[in-house]
Amino acid sequence: MVRILFIGDIVGRPGRELVRRGLGPLCDYHQVDLVIANAENAAAGFGLTREIGDQLLEWGVDVMTSGNHIWDKKEAIDYIGTEPRLLRPANFPAGVPGNGRYLARARNGVSVGVVNVMGRVFMLNIDDPFAVVLREIEALRDRARIIFVDFHAEATSEKIAMGWHLDGRVSAVVGTHTHVQTADERILPKGTAFLTDVGMTGPHDSVIGVEIAPALGRFLNAMPARFETATGNPRLNAVIVEADEQTGRATEIERLSYSMEELGDLPEVRATNYEVRSK
Ligand SMILES: [Fe+2]
Ligand SMILES: [Fe+2]
């Protein structure tokens, strides 16, 4: 068995602090073998820098995925060329820097393929994620029985369709991008763990990570406003998938939501169900 922790979009400093302080206890407590995190908002809500990416890797993240915000910081173009553990959606057009897949090795020695693709509904109209993801899976197939897919997409319908598209072909399909965790985790009939959206690791007293006043203001008066990353109520949103390296099938999926305080309490207290932990 291999236990994979996937952390939902890390937003700004509050998100990074949750990872810095919480990842160690979280990995011990849940016996995690591999950590994947979506890092597209790690630098002040917009993109990723080399310094911040290297920090996340140092703190225990093994593979970073991303999405539409990957190019917000220009230096990401150089960084992605030298750091194979940072992925961008595989379905960007040919010639774009970086890669959409990575072959990782979990702490227990098991090879895990990681694939990042992005949806097209209410998003950038890039190459077909449903076709591209199959090519990426094929490229990893003979080196990894276990493959984990981050589908960065807006529409729940597109994400659920991708889950069915890949059922039996990969160990897990999880969604990112909306920053709101959904409660539909399940294992599909042919053995693929699925969750429509993992949620956000960042300030939850916000509008998907942004300060409330300017975000709300834009809805109230439709005038331009400067968006800053919020700070209130930081929570780490994640999911754990356990999979069998012989069959590639998922055996368990558990979604997580922790405050900083709850992460600090982890070694002592195990909350037994989601309702207890979530606020
Ligand atoms: Fe995001
Ligand atoms: Fe996004």
Side-chain angles (χ1 to χ4, degrees):
M1 292 296 167
V2 59
R3 291 175 60 81
I4 301 163
L5 173 73
F6 183 98
I7 300 173
D9 298 31
I10 298 167
V11 176
R13 186 180 295 273
R16 301 199 306 271
E17 277 301 292
L18 286 158
V19 173
R20 184 175 73 82
R21 290 165 59 182
L23 189 54
L26 194 59
C27 286
D28 288 346
Y29 185 67
H30 288 282
Q31 300 171 326
V32 169
D33 301 305
L34 185 79
V35 180
I36 310 168
N38 189 300
E40 69 152 4
N41 309 108
F46 299 95
L48 182 70
T49 63
R50 181 185 296 272
E51 190 186 349
I52 287 172
D54 286 351
Q55 273 182 340
L56 292 173
L57 294 169
E58 195 178 303
W59 295 337
V61 173
D62 296 300
V63 186
M64 297 179 285
T65 58
S66 65
N68 54 306
H69 285 291
I70 180 63
W71 312 121
D72 288 1
K73 299 276 183 283
K74 282 212 172 60
E75 63 173 280
I77 294 171
D78 289 333
Y79 185 37
I80 209 165
T82 59
E83 180 47 81
R85 292 170 291 179
L86 171 61
L87 303 185
R88 47 88 174 156
N91 53 325
F92 271 108
V96 168
N99 237 305
R101 67 168 185 269
Y102 181 72
L103 184 70
R105 184 170 279 262
R107 309 211 195 323
N108 58 355
V110 175
S111 292
V112 178
V114 182
V115 177
N116 190 190
V117 277
M118 188 158 80
R120 296 191 294 186
V121 178
F122 308 127
M123 296 188 86
L124 215 56
N125 193 15
I126 54 176
D127 293 349
D128 176 2
F130 291 84
V132 170
V133 77
L134 296 182
R135 293 205 290 271
E136 298 296 318
I137 292 165
E138 217 38 63
L140 289 163
R141 177 58 71 212
D142 49 353
R143 288 172 295 165
R145 284 297 292 152
I146 294 179
I147 295 176
F148 197 108
V149 177
D150 171 0
F151 187 34
H152 195 78
E154 180 78 37
T156 51
S157 57
E158 194 180 18
K159 291 194 242 192
I160 290 168
M162 182 64 86
W164 290 112
H165 183 50
L166 298 183
D167 185 22
R169 289 176 157 135
V170 301
S171 307
V173 178
V174 301
T176 56
H177 176 70
T178 69
H179 293 196
V180 178
Q181 189 176 72
T182 56
D184 61 336
E185 74 277 19
R186 61 181 289 194
I187 296 175
L188 298 172
K190 293 178 184 161
T192 298
F194 179 78
L195 175 63
T196 295
D197 205 290
V198 181
M200 171 178 72
T201 295
H204 279 235
D205 285 356
S206 70
V207 177
I208 61 171
V210 170
E211 293 246 23
I212 295 164
L216 174 58
R218 195 183 272 186
F219 287 105
L220 293 176
N221 58 32
M223 289 177 67
R226 190 181 158 82
F227 281 9
E228 301 276 1
T229 300
T231 54
N233 189 21
R235 296 189 73 82
L236 182 145
N237 285 178
V239 66
I240 289 189
V241 173
E242 186 185 84
D244 182 334
E245 68 267 31
Q246 305 303 324
T247 63
R249 289 173 77 107
T251 50
E252 195 188 316
I253 177 167
E254 183 182 5
R255 114 188 105 83
L256 307 174
S257 177
Y258 288 114
S259 69
M260 191 74 89
E261 199 180 19
E262 288 161 341
L263 285 166
D265 287 343
L266 267 181
E268 287 136 33
V269 183
R270 173 154 205 192
T272 49
N273 66 45
Y274 176 75
E275 283 71 30
V276 174
R277 286 197 298 269
S278 62
K279 286 207 185 85

